Amino acid sequence: MAHSHEPGVTLSWSIAAALIVLISLAHSYLGERYILIRLFKRDLPKLLGGVEFTRGTLRFAWHLTSVAWIGLGAMLFAVARAETATRTSVGWILAVTFLIHGLVALLGSRGRHLSWIVFFAISGLVLIG
């Protein structure tokens, strides 16, 4: 792997970062439109009292993948533009990515899927560090 101070690395990593964001948007949109909607028409297990919790968990877990990819794309873009990755830029990107994970889990499950607590903790610990 080449060093980030080479112009080709900055360009190729920036393009890769953009592709990560594009694939994440396609993943969320197409998954919602062609997979989740069809899946939800099937007989799903009742978790924590109902099928709605199951649907909500599947939906937010699907979209968390896209959020994670966007965070990784942002991190790759930041690293591509710097001589070396700084703890500050990488830390902020990770903190915001996991904050969004927490919000998606909290709102998507209406607080019933407790992963939001862990995601918020990760975000806070990264910011403190």
Side-chain angles (χ1 to χ4, degrees), residues 19 21 32 41 43 49 65 75 112 119 125:
L19 290 174
V21 171
E32 188 71 42
K41 291 178 182 176
D43 193 25
T65 302
M75 191 177 313
R112 292 173 36 191
F119 292 139
L125 288 166

Side-chain angles (χ1 to χ4, degrees), residues 11 40-41 46 57 64 66 102 107 110 121-122:
L11 178 61
F40 294 160
K41 291 178 182 176
K46 295 177 184 176
T57 300
L64 279 182
S66 298
L107 299 173
R110 297 185 189 119
I122 293 167

Side-chain angles (χ1 to χ4, degrees), residues 6 9 14 16 20 26 45 55 73 77 79 85 95 100 108 112 117-118 123:
E6 297 174 20
V9 172
S14 296
I20 291 170
R55 285 186 187 123
F77 185 74
V79 170
I100 294 169
R112 292 173 36 191
I117 297 168
V118 178
S123 178

Side-chain angles (χ1 to χ4, degrees), residues 71-72 75 88-101 119 122-123 126:
L72 290 171
M75 191 177 313
T88 302
S89 62
V90 170
W92 273 103
I93 291 165
L94 286 170
V96 169
T97 299
F98 280 97
L99 175 67
I100 294 169
H101 273 68
F119 292 139
I122 293 167
S123 178
V126 170

Side-chain angles (χ1 to χ4, degrees), residues 21 26 80 87 95 127-128:
V21 171
R87 286 185 184 189
L127 284 176
I128 290 168

Side-chain angles (χ1 to χ4, degrees), residues 29-91:
Y29 175 75
L30 295 173
E32 188 71 42
R33 182 164 181 172
Y34 294 108
I35 296 173
L36 293 176
I37 296 299
R38 292 176 182 173
L39 180 64
F40 294 160
K41 291 178 182 176
R42 297 180 177 259
D43 193 25
L44 296 172
K46 295 177 184 176
L47 300 175
L48 294 181
V51 174
E52 275 309 305
F53 179 78
T54 305
R55 285 186 187 123
T57 300
L58 290 170
R59 178 167 276 129
F60 85 71
W62 184 274
H63 294 296
L64 279 182
T65 302
S66 298
V67 170
W69 291 348
I70 290 170
L72 290 171
M75 191 177 313
L76 183 59
F77 185 74
V79 170
R81 300 181 56 84
E83 183 64 30
T84 58
T86 66
R87 286 185 184 189
T88 302
S89 62
V90 170

